[in-house]
């Protein structure tokens, strides 16, 4: 972020007059008082015939005008830089903003008052007073920002207020650029657990896939320069009349889909302690946890949308790619909001039958119809875990009994369909529910049978 020529040079006579009018509007209370006192003294001197008083009046009136003109005609070239540390911060944590001002002109500056524009949710607007900056000099200041609400917040533009040595006039000039602070959901570390089920891939549960071939292309391929001759498939070579080699098998990465219910009618209340914010934070925690363990992860909402730039199999969890994928998903969750949708049918249509691996859902309040749709999703995944916000606990209705009874019925329906369904109450941590899901899943699995796992 840079700026030069403060104040900006006027392009023509009309612009110069407009700039002077703006400069005169920047007279401070002291400058206006001096000007008013000078005019009053000049009038009294004219009426009373006092020449000495007239000279005093002229001095009082001319001083603020001269200061304004000199300040307006002074050309400072100042470069500014803003740096966020870090630029992506979890909700409730602090970020530090570093500002640096460089005087790139040959003249020293006067008194500079520095002000940065920040949204009110990040805290009060920071202001700094910079004393005289020598030619080629530099000044650095910093301030902290903090928000309990996730989102993307613009910082800037930076404003400089110039003042003359007598404090008669102040002019404000702004830089043109700004930066963005991204406040992401809170991510809670999850414990490594072991669930039996059908979430296959890297780890204890493995699924084999043909290298360089799709599901419909399972025949040996033609020989390529550099292929190991020990892989030659002689039967196919004799059949096709050319050298053919066997395809090697390789393990396919385990997959995990995280479904986040964003329906506005499924959640009550707002703010950092609401059920919806708990669901967003929980989804973020699971996404990061599974990425760190090498899963191919996909984020899905009730509208059928996912993270922009996400592949058909989601984001891979490997080294630098894992950090980049986590950043993209956290940026998406930072600005996600309630949808106008009324159902989960779009998300159900996106799920592919039996190929989703592990499905982890964060669901709001479910009526009978949507609970049935959610129950059918179990058939399109390997293993399914559901965290259902208990509306009776988050926003109790009159008496609390009808809502509580309905929530138990929905959980029973999901469990009968094969889900590991848990009710979420206020104050419960994601890590505790993660362990409970492991215990419930292990209890529901047939004893002595282990078909795979996830951690």
């Amino acid at each position: 972020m840079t700026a030069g020529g403060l104040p900006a040079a006027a392009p023509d006579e009309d612009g110069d007059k407009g700039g002077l009018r703006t400069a005169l509007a920047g007279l401070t209370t002291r400058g206006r008082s001096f000007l008013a006192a000078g005019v009053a003294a000049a009038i009294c001197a004219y009426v009373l015939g006092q020449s000495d008083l007239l000279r005093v009046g002229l001095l009082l009136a001319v001083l603020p005008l001269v200061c304004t003109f000199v300040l307006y005609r002074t050309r400072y070239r100042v470069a500014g830089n803003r740096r966020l540390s870090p630029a992506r911060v979890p909700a409730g944590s602090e970020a530090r903003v570093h500002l640096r001002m460089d005087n790139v002109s040959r003249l020293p500056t006067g008194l500079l008052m520095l002000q940065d524009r920040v949204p009110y949710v990040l805290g009060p607007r920071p202001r700094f007073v910079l004393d005289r900056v020598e030619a080629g000099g530099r000044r650095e200041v910093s301030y902290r920002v903090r928000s309990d609400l996730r989102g993307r917040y613009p910082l800037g533009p930076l404003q400089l207020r110039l003042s003359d040595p007598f404090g008669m006039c102040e002019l404000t000039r702004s830089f043109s650029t700004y930066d963005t602070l991204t406040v992401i959901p809170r991510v809670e570390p999850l414990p490594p657990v072991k669930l039996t089920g059908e979430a296959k891939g890297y780890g204890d549960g493995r699924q084999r896939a043909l290298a360089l071939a799709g599901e419909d292309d399972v025949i040996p391929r033609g020989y390529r320069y550099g292929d190991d001759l020990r892989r030659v498939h002689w039967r196919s070579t004799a059949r096709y009349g050319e050298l053919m080699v066997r395809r090697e098998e390789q393990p396919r990465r385990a997959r995990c889909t995280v479904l986040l219910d964003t329906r506005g009618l499924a959640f009550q209340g707002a703010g950092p302690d609401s059920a919806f914010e708990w669901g967003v934070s929980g989804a973020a925690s699971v996404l990061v946890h599974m990425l760190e363990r090498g899963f191919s992860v996909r984020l899905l909402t009730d509208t059928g949308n996912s993270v922009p730039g996400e592949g058909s199999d989601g984001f891979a969890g490997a080294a630098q790619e894992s950090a980049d994928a986590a950043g993209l998903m956290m940026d998406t969750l930072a600005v996600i909001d309630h949808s106008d949708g009324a159902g989960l049918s779009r998300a159900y249509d996106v799920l592919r039958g039996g190929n989703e691996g592990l499905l982890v859902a964060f669901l709001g309040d479910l009526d009978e119809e949507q609970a049935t749709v959610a129950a059918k999703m179990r058939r399109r995944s390997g293993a399914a875990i559901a965290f259902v916000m208990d509306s009776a606990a988050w926003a109790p209705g009159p008496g609390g009994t009808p809502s509580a009874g309905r929530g138990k019925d929905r959980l029973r329906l999901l469990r009968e369909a094969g889900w590991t369904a848990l009710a979420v109450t206020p104050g419960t941590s994601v890590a505790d529910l993660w362990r409970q899901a492991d215990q419930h899943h292990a209890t529901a699995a047939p004893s002595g049978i282990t078909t795979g796992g996830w951690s």
Side-chain angles (χ1 to χ4, degrees):
M1 176 189 65
T2 60
L6 298 176
D12 50 35
E13 184 178 356
D14 291 339
D16 188 66
K17 292 179 179 178
L20 284 175
R21 285 194 294 267
T22 303
L24 290 174
L27 285 172
T28 63
T29 302
R30 178 184 300 176
R32 295 176 187 274
S33 300
F34 267 67
L35 182 59
V39 172
I43 293 175
C44 293
Y46 177 77
V47 173
L48 301 176
Q50 297 290 330
S51 58
D52 294 336
L53 183 59
L54 178 61
R55 286 191 290 268
V56 173
L58 291 176
L59 176 63
L60 294 176
V62 169
L63 181 59
L65 297 178
V66 171
C67 291
T68 300
F69 182 78
V70 172
L71 184 63
Y72 171 74
R73 297 302 300 177
T74 301
R75 293 295 182 264
Y76 297 134
R77 293 193 60 83
V78 180
N81 177 273
R82 182 191 296 106
R83 179 172 56 87
L84 304 181
S85 177
R88 184 188 290 119
V89 62
S93 300
E94 289 185 345
R96 183 168 290 275
V97 183
H98 301 270
L99 302 176
R100 191 184 72 187
M101 304 301 301
D102 295 284
N103 182 12
V104 297
S105 65
R106 298 180 180 180
L107 298 176
T109 68
L111 187 67
L112 299 179
M113 283 170 281
L114 188 65
Q115 176 177 276
D116 206 8
R117 291 185 179 180
V118 299
Y120 72 94
V121 296
L122 297 183
R125 180 171 296 183
R127 294 181 175 89
F128 305 94
V129 177
L130 303 181
D131 203 353
R132 180 178 179 274
V133 182
E134 65 280 3
R138 173 186 300 177
R139 296 291 185 272
E140 295 184 4
V141 294
S142 65
Y143 64 93
R144 294 177 295 179
V145 291
R146 179 181 181 274
S147 175
D148 292 328
L149 300 175
R150 55 187 176 80
R152 293 173 62 87
Y153 300 101
L155 299 179
L158 193 63
Q159 291 182 328
L160 278 179
R161 181 174 296 178
L162 312 176
S163 178
D164 66 279
F166 299 101
M168 298 291 180
C169 181
E170 291 181 352
L171 297 181
T172 301
R173 294 293 183 265
S174 298
F175 291 86
S176 58
T177 59
Y178 64 91
D179 294 285
T180 301
L181 175 68
T182 303
V183 180
I184 62 176
R186 296 183 180 92
V187 175
E188 185 175 344
L190 301 183
V193 296
K194 190 70 175 179
L195 281 87
T196 57
E198 300 177 9
K200 301 172 183 171
Y202 291 147
D204 296 330
R206 293 177 182 266
Q207 187 174 11
R208 310 298 291 184
L210 291 175
L212 306 175
E215 296 178 357
D216 299 330
D217 184 14
V218 296
I219 62 175
R221 62 172 176 83
Y223 174 82
R224 298 172 183 170
Y225 179 77
D227 285 338
D228 191 344
L229 292 178
R230 289 174 295 182
R231 292 171 48 204
V232 174
H233 192 265
W234 298 109
R235 181 178 300 178
S236 298
T237 299
R239 178 180 178 183
Y240 292 100
E242 61 176 321
L243 205 57
M244 307 292 291
V245 295
R246 295 187 302 271
R247 301 181 187 274
E248 289 184 345
E249 291 185 342
Q250 63 181 10
R252 186 165 61 194
R253 189 181 301 277
R255 300 176 60 186
C256 175
T257 298
V258 177
L259 172 62
L260 177 61
D261 185 3
T262 64
R263 296 173 298 137
L265 53 81
F267 297 91
Q268 301 182 29
D273 296 326
S274 63
F276 180 68
E277 292 301 324
W278 191 98
V280 174
S281 178
S285 302
V286 173
L287 287 170
V288 173
H289 179 79
M290 303 308 287
L291 270 175
E292 291 175 348
R293 275 145 188 82
F295 277 65
S296 180
V297 179
R298 179 171 64 161
L299 173 64
L300 182 66
T301 66
D302 57 287
T303 61
N305 297 326
S306 57
V307 180
E310 187 179 66
S312 59
D313 292 334
F315 289 108
Q320 182 61 34
E321 295 180 1
S322 176
D324 296 340
L328 287 174
M329 288 188 288
M330 292 303 103
D331 289 344
T332 300
L333 290 175
V335 297
I336 201 168
D337 202 354
H338 291 296
S339 68
D340 297 330
L344 301 172
S345 57
R346 291 185 180 178
Y348 174 76
D349 294 337
V350 173
L351 296 176
R352 292 170 292 188
N355 296 325
E356 292 302 322
L358 176 65
L359 175 61
V360 182
F362 292 85
L363 304 173
D365 193 17
L366 300 173
D367 55 24
E368 184 175 358
E369 178 182 358
Q370 300 311 314
T372 303
V373 175
K376 292 191 297 183
M377 292 181 182
R378 174 62 184 86
R379 299 196 296 266
R380 297 198 170 189
S381 65
I385 314 295
F387 300 104
V388 184
M389 313 298 152
D390 188 353
S391 59
W394 289 92
T401 305
S403 298
R406 186 178 66 179
K408 294 180 180 178
D409 293 338
R410 305 297 181 253
L411 288 176
R412 186 183 308 112
L413 177 61
L414 292 177
R415 289 166 180 166
E416 291 175 352
W419 283 84
T420 300
L422 299 175
V424 180
T425 56
T428 306
S429 68
V430 184
D432 291 340
L433 288 178
W434 196 246
R435 294 189 186 93
Q436 293 181 30
D438 178 31
Q439 298 171 1
H440 282 261
H441 196 87
T443 303
S447 59
I449 299 178
T450 301
T451 59
W454 59 282
S455 61

